[in-house]
Amino acid sequence: MAVTEANHWPCAQCGADLRYAAGQTELKCDHCGFVQAIPAKAPRQKAQALIEHPLAKGLSDDLPAAATEEVRSTSCPNCGAVVEFQGANHASQCPFCATPVVVDTGSHRRIKPQALVPFALTESQARTALKGWLGSLWFAPNSLLEFTRAGRTMDGVYAPFWTYDADTDSRYTGQRGEYYYVTETVNVTVNGKTERRQQQVRKTRWHAASGRVSRDFDDVLVMASSSLPARLGNDLTPWDLSQLQPYSADYLAGFQAEGYTVGLADGWGRAQAVMAGVIENDVRRDIGGDEQRVDQVDTDYSAETFKHILLPIWMAAYKYSGKSYRFMVNGQTGEVQGERPYSWWKISFAVLGAVVLGLGAAYLYDPSIFGASVPDWMD
């Protein structure tokens, strides 16, 4: 994961840092209360910013110079995150493990983000959502519950994603299964005796099937960060991409922004895997019948385009028994995902309690199991 350090905009009134006000279209100064509006983009500017790039040009490194930028970065020696640097700064810390890092001397060119979904949830709202999620976890360590009550701050990060569009045409071969029933005589055991009975048995008759299906895909979303678990990032859905705004550094004031570490080609491969799952469902519907077997699918892709966008995520990290656990809150909807620790003491006590309850219930049902005499009143 490549992460820029927090972006800073000085207040025109007092010189303190402005920050983007989540859910608003303005920057605010926490020191003096000064408010600065974010200039609205003209409809034409917005439309141009959201135009997809031809995928072939991106894969062949043939994009216009205006679509790329030069960045400086370094790898975190502890967790492997790639930290990007702005301006003349040369030192920072990794936002995911707090390890100090110093910028490398080299730089490289990257594809610029075209658009972003601004933060809609404030840190306080995100923390409330996280506390509710953590509080619902079974067998969580007490220290984790204390973590939720301590008012620990969360980091607001704009995470990188690719979106892919494509028109697909797929030819398939397979088999259609249709159920039918036959009457068979079978042996069954009733009260310890074997009896012969007749029953209906379902069978499947298979027929060869072939055909073609077409589907146009729009904005297939792929997380472009390799440092965060893909499951967590992918499960933060849904995202309302109709709220995408043309990229503006103003929305980054007071936040961090990741650079992508999943390249365009790898992201396209993951998008194709997502498309393949949808296409297989289309094929099964086209085959019909009661069951389907899909033997082969050959897909042609056309009109392939992509965008590089940033999506808002509130993040927190927690250490337990020497291991780090990460929590993520969708900064647009409040959906929570995370890694969770278990308290083995709580699990052990729960298991022990269940055993004790089980033994108690068994004793009440039949004390003789434990070699005890049965009281007269229970006889």
Side-chain angles (χ1 to χ4, degrees), residues 186-197:
V186 297
N187 293 328
V188 296
T189 301
V190 180
N191 296 325
K193 297 181 180 180
T194 300
E195 297 181 1
R196 292 180 63 79
R197 291 185 178 180

Side-chain angles (χ1 to χ4, degrees), residues 202-253:
R202 190 184 77 185
K203 295 183 178 293
T204 305
R205 184 178 290 112
W206 292 98
H207 306 273
S210 62
R212 64 193 308 158
V213 295
S214 297
R215 178 178 283 270
D216 297 343
F217 290 92
D218 181 47
D219 285 341
V220 175
L221 199 62
V222 175
M223 188 172 66
S225 168
S226 58
S227 294
L228 288 175
R231 176 187 63 81
L232 299 187
N234 293 334
D235 288 351
L236 282 175
T237 54
W239 297 93
D240 182 5
L241 297 186
S242 68
Q243 300 303 309
L244 279 170
Q245 299 294 321
Y247 176 85
S248 170
D250 288 336
Y251 289 110
L252 273 60

Side-chain angles (χ1 to χ4, degrees), residues 72-106:
R72 298 176 299 131
S73 65
T74 190
S75 295
C76 171
N78 183 48
C79 71
V82 179
V83 183
E84 292 185 355
F85 293 81
Q86 299 287 337
N89 293 314
H90 293 272
S92 182
Q93 69 176 20
C94 175
F96 295 96
C97 67
T99 300
V101 292
V102 179
V103 69
D104 288 342
T105 56

